[in-house]
Amino acid sequence: MCGIIGYVGSRKASEVITEGLKRLEYRGYDSVGIAVAQGNSIDLRKDKGMVNPVAESMRFLDVSGTLALGHVRWATHGVPCKENAHPFIDCTRTIVLAHNGVIENYSELKDELKKAGHRFSSETDSEVVVHLVEEERKKMPPLKAFMAAVRKLKGSYALLCTVADGAETLYCARRNSPLVLGVGKGEMFAASDIPAMLAYTKTFVPLEEGDIAVLSRNGYKVYDANGKEAVRKSITVEWSLDMAEKGGYPHFMLKEINDQKHFVHESLAADVTNARAMVAGHEAIDIIACGTSYHAGTILKILLSRELGKRAEAFIASEYPFVANPGKKTLVIAISQSGETADTMQAVKFAKSRGSKVLSLTNVVDSSITRISDEVVYLNAGPEISVAATKTFTSQAAVIYKLVSNPGPGQERLAAIPSLIEKAMAQESAIRAVAAKIADKKDIFFIGRGLNYPVAMEGALKLKEISYLHAEAYAGGELKHGPLSLIEKGVPVIAVAPKDESLPKLFGNIKEVKARGAYVVALTDDEAVRNEADVSIPLPPAADATLYPFPEIIILQLLAYHVSVLRGINPDRPRNLAKSVTVE
Ligand code: F1P
C-alpha cells in the first residue's frame, strides 16, 4: 500500500509534495515524510501521523529546493512510528528513497548489507533498498547503481530515489505497484496516482511492469526490464482537479455519494460490446473480487444465472486459488475499482495460468489489472478518494446491468436507473433521522433476499468500516438457522424490503425478528412492511424489480455516512484501512 510522489522542476518542491501527499492520503495515513535534495545535502522530515499535522509540526514548507520526494504509509513491516516512516536515507546521508509495495527478500538482503557494515534505523522491508543502492554506488554511477539494486529485489515495488550529487535527477522503478509519470513544461512528476499531480499537468505516462525511469526538469527516459531504452504511451486525462476535490461537501464520501447521479450516466455509456461477446461465448463464469467489488460481483453472479442461464459463481479473490478449478473453458470476470488489489491480481494470475480468459471491470485507466486481462471495461466513475467505495459500487452495478442486458430494447430498462438514484438521494433527511436512532447501538443486522442480499452485505460493510459498529448481513431465510439467537429487545434490524418476488418470504423474516423485540428499519415501497416496521425509509418504486439495488445502496451509503459523522469519525479515513490494498 502507501502513496509516493516525486518532483523535479523549478517550483518549491516541498509545496508540490505536501499538496500531492494530501491527495494520496487515502492510500495510507499512519505516517508521512518528505525529503528535499539541495545540492549535496538532503533535508529529511518525517513522523507518525496524518499529512496536515505532521507537515505543520515538522515544518515541511520551510524547506526550499526544487527536487523532492514524499511518502504516506500504510504499515506492513513494522509499527507506525517515526523510525519506520519513509523516506529512508543511506549511511552516507546522500541517497534517499521512498517505496510502495513489499520487498519479499528483504531479510536476506538486510543480512548481507549488515555484514557489509550498513546501519539500519527501521524495521521496514523498504530500508534495504536505499542501502542496496548505496552499496552498488560504490562500484558504478547512480543510474547504473539504481538499476543494479532494483534487479536484486523480489516482490512488489514502486520506488522513488534521488542522490544528492547536484545532478537533480529522480530515479523511479515499478513492479506490481502503480507508478505514473506526470509530464510538465520544464518539470517532471511521478506519483502513485494521477489526482496527486492533476493540479500541475494533464499529461501522464503510466510505467509498465519492470520499468525504470530517470526524470530531470528537462524530461524523462524510460528503460524496460532488460535495461533497454523504451517508449511508453502518454495519456491525456479529462478529469478536472475539482473532480478530485471535495467541491463544498464536508467529506469526499458525501461528495462521491452525490456524484453518483452524474457518473452513473458515464458508466451506463461504457462500451461492453467485446465483453458481452466474451460472456456469450462461455457457459462457466467465475467472478473474482474483494470487499465492495465482491458484493457487485455477487449481483453479477445472480444476473448471469437468472437472466442469461450461465453457470456463474462469485469468489472472494483471496480464496480463489484454494477453492476454484478454472480451466480453458472458464471465463473469469475480475472486478476491482483500483485495478491494483493484490488479492485480485493474484487470482487473475492463477486463472491465466490455467488458461482461462479474463475480463476485468475497473475504474483506473492503465491499472495493473488492465495489463494482464484479455478484455477491460472501464467504469468511468472518475477518481474516488474516500476509502469507502460508494460511487464505484454503483458504477460497477451499472456496467454489470448493461453487460447482462441485450443490446437494443433489452437495454431500455437501464434508462430508469438515474432517476431511481435521484429519488433515493431525496430521502436524506429521513435517513439522517434513522442514523440518529442507531448510532449508539452495538450490533446491527441487515437482511435481504435475492438481489437485495448482496446490497444488504454492502450496507453492513459500509456501516462497519466507517462507523466501527458491528454489522452483519444475512439472507433473510438464514436467521432461523442461528443468528436469531442474537436478536433481543431494541437490536436494530435493517430490512432491505422492496416489492419484489422475494418480499413475501422476507416479510415473514421481519415478523420473526419483530416477535423477538428487534427495532426494525425497513427500506421499502410496500404498505404492509411499512406498518410492520418501527421506522421506514421510502424506496422509490421500480417498474423493473431487478433495479431496486440502485436506490437501496444509495440509502445504505447515506445511512453509514451519517452514523459515522454522528459518532465523530472521519468517514473518509477509517482506522486500519486504505483504499488501494496492494498486499495479500
Ligand atoms: C477492494 C476493496 C474495496 C474497499 C477497500 C479495500 O478494492 O475491498 O472495495 O472499499 O478500499 O479494497 P478494489 O479491488 O475494488 O479496488
Side-chain angles (χ1 to χ4, degrees):
M1 218 94 61
C2 312
I4 58 175
I5 178 163
Y7 173 76
V8 53
S10 50
R11 295 173 202 258
K12 187 175 174 188
S14 57
E15 248 169 49
V16 177
I17 299 298
T18 307
E19 283 310 303
L21 289 174
K22 287 181 197 165
R23 288 181 212 289
L24 288 169
E25 208 169 30
Y26 72 91
R27 301 180 66 87
Y29 36 87
D30 53 48
S31 53
V32 55
I34 183 173
V36 183
Q38 288 170 291
N40 295 318
S41 71
I42 288 169
D43 186 315
L44 173 64
R45 299 174 186 221
K46 57 185 184 176
D47 207 350
K48 179 179 170 182
M50 293 176 74
V51 178
N52 275 334
V54 175
E56 206 157 294
S57 65
M58 304 293 293
R59 307 177 80 89
F60 282 9
L61 298 182
D62 282 2
V63 196
S64 52
T66 53
L67 187 159
L69 49 97
H71 185 278
V72 280
R73 178 166 187 250
W74 185 84
T76 56
H77 293 62
V79 295
C81 64
K82 183 174 181 142
E83 292 70 30
N84 290 337
H86 298 223
F88 292 106
I89 199 155
D90 73 324
C91 304
T92 65
R93 298 195 72 79
T94 55
I95 307 173
V96 72
L97 175 139
H99 166 230
N100 169 26
V102 175
I103 305 299
E104 286 166 8
N105 57 336
Y106 85 100
S107 77
E108 297 100 277
L109 292 171
K110 194 167 177 173
D111 287 348
E112 283 168 28
L113 288 160
K114 271 185 171 167
K115 274 187 209 135
H118 292 264
R119 297 176 314 277
F120 286 80
S121 58
S122 80
E123 304 158 89
T124 65
D125 53 333
S126 311
E127 194 186 0
V128 296
V129 188
V130 77
H131 292 281
L132 254 189
V133 178
E134 178 190 2
E135 189 61 28
E136 298 295 343
R137 199 174 159 236
K138 291 177 184 161
K139 299 169 252 169
M140 51 192 109
L143 172 60
K144 287 217 159 101
F146 182 69
M147 285 176 161
V150 169
R151 270 198 294 273
K152 296 201 164 143
L153 304 178
K154 292 205 177 102
S156 60
Y157 49 79
L159 295 167
L160 292 178
C161 175
T162 194
V163 179
D165 55 3
E168 296 245 309
T169 305
L170 202 53
Y171 304 97
C172 321
R174 115 163 237 186
R175 187 180 293 282
N176 293 330
S177 287
L179 192 61
V180 183
L181 307 185
V183 185
K185 286 202 181 81
E187 56 186 355
M188 284 296 303
F189 307 80
S192 308
D193 76 10
I194 287 173
M197 303 176 274
L198 213 48
Y200 311 100
T201 179
K202 289 201 181 301
T203 307
F204 300 98
V205 179
L207 293 179
E208 297 194 358
E209 300 301 354
D211 278 355
I212 287 188
V214 186
L215 276 52
S216 72
R217 67 178 64 188
N218 301 320
Y220 68 98
K221 273 189 183 162
V222 179
Y223 301 89
D224 67 15
N226 302 316
K228 275 219 189 90
E229 207 172 321
V231 177
R232 297 288 175 242
K233 178 174 96 218
S234 76
I235 54 170
T236 308
V237 306
E238 302 305 330
W239 306 343
S240 65
L241 186 59
D242 191 46
M243 284 158 99
E245 287 189 326
K246 283 187 208 155
Y249 289 96
H251 299 102
F252 280 111
M253 182 175 177
L254 190 58
K255 174 185 182 262
E256 286 159 5
I257 293 173
N258 278 275
D259 269 356
Q260 304 188 63
K261 48 184 185 275
H262 309 299
F263 278 109
V264 75
H265 292 279
E266 307 282 325
S267 306
L268 287 169
D271 181 1
V272 297
T273 320
N274 296 343
R276 205 183 271 135
M278 280 176 105
V279 169
H282 290 83
E283 279 322 301
I285 301 179
D286 287 357
I287 300 154
I288 48 178
C290 306
T292 294
S293 297
Y294 170 74
H295 299 148
T298 309
I299 291 180
L300 175 59
K301 160 221 156 112
I302 296 172
L303 294 173
L304 285 172
S305 315
R306 299 272 297 186
E307 300 201 356
L308 302 184
K310 301 284 178 188
R311 268 191 297 118
E313 194 48 76
F315 295 90
I316 290 168
S318 54
E319 287 293 290
Y320 190 64
F322 313 115
V323 297
N325 191 12
K328 287 198 177 63
K329 291 191 172 159
T330 317
L331 171 64
V332 169
I333 304 183
I335 308 179
S336 173
Q337 184 285 128
S338 61
E340 303 291 347
T341 302
D343 287 329
T344 311
M345 289 290 291
Q346 290 310 308
V348 168
K349 286 177 187 163
F350 169 70
K352 294 228 71 158
S353 74
R354 295 293 196 88
S356 309
K357 284 268 181 278
V358 175
L359 160 66
S360 62
L361 313 186
T362 186
N363 195 33
V364 180
V365 177
D366 253 328
S367 52
S368 300
I369 208 165
T370 66
R371 291 150 187 261
I372 54 171
S373 302
D374 298 285
E375 181 63 34
V376 177
V377 179
Y378 285 112
L379 305 174
N380 302 332
E384 187 176 68
I385 309 296
S386 181
V387 166
T390 53
K391 65 175 176 174
T392 54
F393 176 78
T394 312
S395 300
Q396 288 167 344
V399 167
I400 283 167
Y401 275 75
K402 187 165 184 188
L403 184 64
V404 299
S405 306
N406 287 323
Q411 297 207 7
E412 275 164 18
R413 66 169 171 172
L414 308 180
I417 296 172
S419 89
L420 286 169
I421 291 178
E422 282 207 45
K423 285 180 188 151
M425 217 77 95
Q427 302 301 329
E428 191 166 355
S429 58
I431 298 166
R432 208 182 298 118
V434 172
K437 299 252 188 228
I438 62 170
D440 63 345
K441 303 287 181 187
K442 241 175 90 234
D443 305 298
I444 300 186
F445 295 90
F446 288 68
I447 54 172
R449 283 175 173 247
L451 282 166
N452 312 306
Y453 173 46
V455 178
M457 292 199 284
E458 177 57 10
L461 177 65
K462 274 314 74 126
L463 190 67
K464 73 181 98 171
E465 69 182 319
I466 62 169
S467 75
Y468 315 155
L469 293 177
H470 170 233
E472 292 302 334
Y474 289 98
E478 275 296 289
L479 285 176
K480 57 187 175 296
H481 299 292
L484 205 53
S485 64
L486 297 169
I487 304 295
E488 53 186 12
K489 194 166 170 8
V491 171
V493 174
I494 298 176
V496 186
K499 240 186 199 169
D500 68 4
E501 58 173 354
S502 71
L503 188 62
K505 299 275 187 205
L506 191 78
F507 191 71
N509 306 136
I510 291 172
K511 286 217 161 256
E512 285 161 16
V513 294
K514 271 296 288 182
R516 274 121 190 131
Y519 177 77
V520 174
V521 177
L523 274 60
T524 193
D525 53 345
D526 181 82
E527 185 69 31
V529 175
R530 208 172 300 138
N531 291 336
E532 191 66 30
D534 291 279
V535 58
S536 58
I537 300 170
L539 263 184
D544 176 343
T546 63
L547 298 184
Y548 277 114
F550 289 93
E552 287 165 2
I553 194 58
I554 301 291
I555 292 171
L556 295 181
Q557 289 169 352
L558 282 170
L559 184 65
Y561 172 79
H562 285 294
V563 172
S564 171
V565 172
L566 282 167
R567 289 172 61 79
I569 294 162
N570 175 357
D572 287 341
R573 299 282 176 266
R575 68 186 179 201
N576 305 339
L577 302 177
K579 187 148 195 76
S580 180
V581 189
T582 51
V583 291
E584 278 176 72

